[in-house]
Amino acid sequence: MAFEGYTQETLDFLWGIRFNNERSWFLAHKNDYMQYLYEPMKALGEAIFRPFQEVPGLELKVSRIYRDARMHPATPYKESLWICIRRQVDMWSQHPALFFELRPEGGSYGFLLWQPRPEAMERFRRDVAARPGYFPELLERAQSASGLGLTAQPYKRPKPCPDAALAPYFSWKGDLEAIAEVPAGPALFSPALADQVGQTLESWLPVSNYFYQLTDV
């Protein structure tokens, strides 16, 4: 199945599940879920993953709408669906990922490193200090190619830094994000979305690989 873009019916379903998050409503609209949301999401994932297929260890994950009943969630279904390109790890939130997510309000995509372990960020600071130009240049290429800037949650107390020029990197604690937003409308409904998302994720792959080497220890 080729990706042809999402439709208004896709968003209508997501709005519906937000306001009717119960089994009876979902079962009555399950065909809409499959036709307008899940199958197009799989098609988008297959389209954007093609350039990544030759990268050792990378996998494509397509989420399902069902929440994990073992966690005793308040509602049985998610209000969004996502695609994730990452390596197989136990705690995905501690490792970098490239993603696309669709919510009732629209879509978002980019690079994410949500909750890196403190020791991973310590390795990051040591590497930045040892190779002062390497990571800033890597980051600048990704930002220039994608038009996205990287943001991060800072430490409350700044970490000691040997070089004032590197101080911004020494402040990073977690929630590293470079994210583009796609509002509901023509861009979301176009087949060109696949190229748009794919090119952006490709541009952030070197940054993702860099952080994976620091987090997978």
Side-chain angles (χ1 to χ4, degrees):
M1 176 181 175
F3 179 71
E4 299 294 339
Y6 296 103
T7 64
Q8 186 59 49
E9 287 84 357
T10 308
L11 300 183
D12 289 344
F13 173 82
L14 286 168
W15 281 114
I17 201 69
R18 173 171 291 182
F19 293 110
N20 304 275
N21 202 316
E22 57 188 19
R23 188 170 183 271
S24 60
W25 188 92
F26 178 78
L27 292 178
H29 296 82
K30 188 172 182 179
N31 288 340
D32 294 339
Y33 162 65
M34 296 299 297
Q35 180 177 353
Y36 300 123
L37 180 57
Y38 185 68
E39 291 298 336
M41 186 67 75
K42 281 204 311 180
L44 177 62
E46 291 168 1
I48 66 175
F49 190 63
R50 289 189 190 107
F52 299 91
Q53 288 178 338
E54 303 304 318
V55 181
L58 277 186
E59 297 181 348
L60 172 69
K61 306 287 185 179
V62 182
S63 72
R64 301 295 295 269
I65 202 164
Y66 310 98
R67 295 191 188 276
D68 189 343
R70 295 170 298 177
M71 304 300 291
H72 305 291
T75 54
Y77 306 105
K78 302 171 187 173
E79 297 178 2
S80 69
L81 225 62
W82 49 259
I83 299 161
C84 189
I85 297 174
R86 59 176 173 82
R87 289 166 175 82
Q88 183 63 45
V89 293
D90 291 333
M91 295 292 291
W92 71 265
S93 63
Q94 297 177 350
H95 299 270
L98 305 169
F99 77 96
F100 173 87
E101 183 178 22
L102 187 61
R103 308 175 308 280
E105 298 85 357
S108 59
Y109 60 94
F111 165 81
L112 175 66
L113 175 54
W114 188 28
Q115 295 176 331
R117 290 170 294 181
E119 54 267 33
M121 296 311 291
E122 177 59 31
R123 286 190 288 271
F124 168 66
R125 291 188 290 273
R126 290 200 301 265
D127 185 73
V128 168
R131 301 186 293 172
Y134 182 79
F135 178 74
E137 292 175 5
L138 191 74
L139 179 62
E140 177 58 29
R141 287 196 294 271
Q143 293 183 144
S144 296
S146 66
L148 301 179
L150 185 66
T151 63
Q153 176 192 9
Y155 288 101
K156 292 182 179 180
R157 295 183 179 180
K159 298 291 182 179
C161 180
D163 183 343
L166 301 176
Y169 308 113
F170 272 61
S171 72
W172 292 354
K173 179 182 180 181
D175 291 347
L176 277 66
E177 299 179 347
I179 297 177
E181 299 288 342
V182 187
L188 200 63
F189 300 156
S190 170
L193 180 68
D195 289 337
Q196 178 184 342
V197 174
Q199 290 169 11
T200 296
L201 300 191
E202 280 189 82
S203 68
W204 282 91
L205 179 61
V207 175
S208 182
N209 287 340
Y210 171 85
F211 277 107
Y212 179 71
Q213 297 302 316
L214 299 175
T215 58
D216 187 48
V217 177

